[in-house]
Amino acid sequence: MTNEALIQEAKKAREKSYSPYSHFQVGAALLTKSGNVYHGCNIENASYSPTNCAERTAFFKAISEGEREFEKIAIVGGPAEKEPEELCAPCGVCRQVMNEFCDRDTFEIVLMDGPDAIKVLTLAELLPYGFTLE
Ligand code: THU
């Protein structure tokens, strides 16, 4: 699947965002090596700290279905009621979850970079010196 198509899947995932507190909607689309796509959105909570990011929603859905091999994730985010345009990079906690399940040198994070551009980063670039099992 192309990066552009995966970004479109992330936009679809973002439509499901539950974000009544921040009004910041995030969507993620996680592509497995077997070709499956898992959608995730951010899910907020009145008590704030139980909030789950879009990226972790996608990962936890996939992992709980038995998936273990991941190719790339697309992420889009921005204020509600507006098409996302600006780069929305994953938070540190989500990077650490990716680090648990993905190859740091080949797993790609696909981000919008303005309305018509895409930025692709490896996990190693986003999380140098991540904590691992090793
Ligand atoms: N959020 C994500 O879903 N992913 C990120 O990587 C950064 C932040 C969500 C959490 C919260 O619902 C909202 O964005 C504002 O922080």
Side-chain angles (χ1 to χ4, degrees), residues 19 22 24 26 42 44 51-55 89-91 94:
S19 41
S22 72
F24 191 88
V26 186
N42 54 332
E44 298 187 343
T51 292
N52 206 56
C53 291
E55 299 90 322
C91 79
C94 290

Coordinates of all heavy atoms in Angstrom, one line a residue, residues 19 22 24 26 42 44 51-55 89-91 94, ligand 1:
S19 N -12.8 13.1 21.3 CA -12.0 14.1 21.9 C -12.7 15.3 22.3 O -12.5 16.4 21.9 CB -10.9 14.4 20.9 OG -11.4 14.6 19.6
S22 N -10.0 18.0 24.4 CA -9.0 18.7 23.7 C -9.5 19.3 22.3 O -8.9 20.2 21.8 CB -7.8 17.8 23.4 OG -8.1 16.9 22.4
F24 N -8.9 18.0 19.7 CA -7.8 17.7 18.8 C -8.0 16.2 18.3 O -7.9 15.3 19.1 CB -6.5 17.9 19.5 CG -5.3 17.9 18.6 CD1 -4.9 19.0 18.0 CD2 -4.6 16.7 18.4 CE1 -3.7 19.0 17.2 CE2 -3.5 16.7 17.6 CZ -3.1 17.8 17.0
V26 N -7.2 12.9 16.3 CA -6.0 12.1 15.7 C -6.5 10.8 15.1 O -7.4 10.1 15.7 CB -4.9 11.9 16.7 CG1 -3.7 11.3 16.1 CG2 -4.5 13.2 17.4
N42 N -7.8 8.7 18.8 CA -7.6 9.0 20.2 C -9.0 8.9 20.9 O -10.0 9.2 20.4 CB -7.0 10.4 20.4 CG -7.7 11.6 19.7 OD1 -8.3 11.4 18.7 ND2 -7.6 12.7 20.2
E44 N -10.5 10.0 24.5 CA -10.2 10.8 25.8 C -11.2 10.4 26.9 O -12.1 9.6 26.7 CB -10.4 12.3 25.4 CG -9.4 12.7 24.4 CD -9.3 14.2 24.1 OE1 -10.3 14.9 24.5 OE2 -8.3 14.6 23.5
T51 N -6.8 8.7 28.9 CA -6.8 9.0 27.4 C -5.8 8.1 26.7 O -4.7 7.9 27.1 CB -6.4 10.5 27.2 OG1 -7.5 11.3 27.7 CG2 -6.2 10.8 25.7
N52 N -6.3 7.6 25.6 CA -5.4 6.7 24.7 C -5.2 7.4 23.4 O -6.2 7.8 22.7 CB -6.1 5.3 24.5 CG -5.0 4.3 24.2 OD1 -4.1 4.1 25.0 ND2 -5.1 3.6 23.1
C53 N -3.9 7.5 22.9 CA -3.6 8.1 21.7 C -4.1 7.2 20.5 O -4.2 6.0 20.6 CB -2.1 8.3 21.5 SG -1.4 9.5 22.6
A54 N -4.3 7.8 19.3 CA -4.7 7.1 18.1 C -3.7 5.9 17.8 O -4.1 4.8 17.4 CB -4.8 8.1 17.0
E55 N -2.4 6.2 17.9 CA -1.4 5.2 17.5 C -1.5 4.0 18.4 O -1.4 2.9 17.9 CB 0.0 5.8 17.6 CG 0.2 7.1 16.8 CD -0.1 8.4 17.4 OE1 -1.2 8.4 18.2 OE2 0.6 9.4 17.2
A89 N 3.3 14.6 14.9 CA 4.2 13.5 15.2 C 3.8 12.7 16.5 O 3.1 13.3 17.3 CB 5.6 14.0 15.4
P90 N 4.0 11.4 16.5 CA 3.6 10.6 17.7 C 4.3 11.0 19.0 O 5.4 11.4 19.0 CB 4.0 9.2 17.3 CG 5.0 9.3 16.3 CD 4.8 10.6 15.6
C91 N 3.5 10.9 20.1 CA 4.1 11.3 21.4 C 5.1 10.2 21.8 O 5.2 9.1 21.2 CB 3.0 11.4 22.4 SG 2.4 9.8 23.1
C94 N 3.8 6.7 22.6 CA 3.5 5.9 21.4 C 4.7 5.4 20.7 O 4.8 4.3 20.2 CB 2.6 6.7 20.5 SG 0.9 6.9 21.2
Ligands
THU1 N1 -2.8 12.4 20.8 C1 -2.7 11.3 20.0 O1 -3.7 10.7 19.7 N2 -1.5 10.9 19.5 C2 -0.3 11.6 19.7 O2 0.7 11.1 19.4 C3 -0.4 12.9 20.4 C4 -1.6 13.2 21.1 C5 -4.1 12.8 21.3 C6 -4.2 12.7 22.8 C7 -5.3 13.7 23.1 O3 -6.5 13.1 22.9 C8 -5.1 14.8 22.1 O4 -4.3 14.2 21.0 C9 -4.5 16.0 22.6 O5 -3.3 15.8 23.2

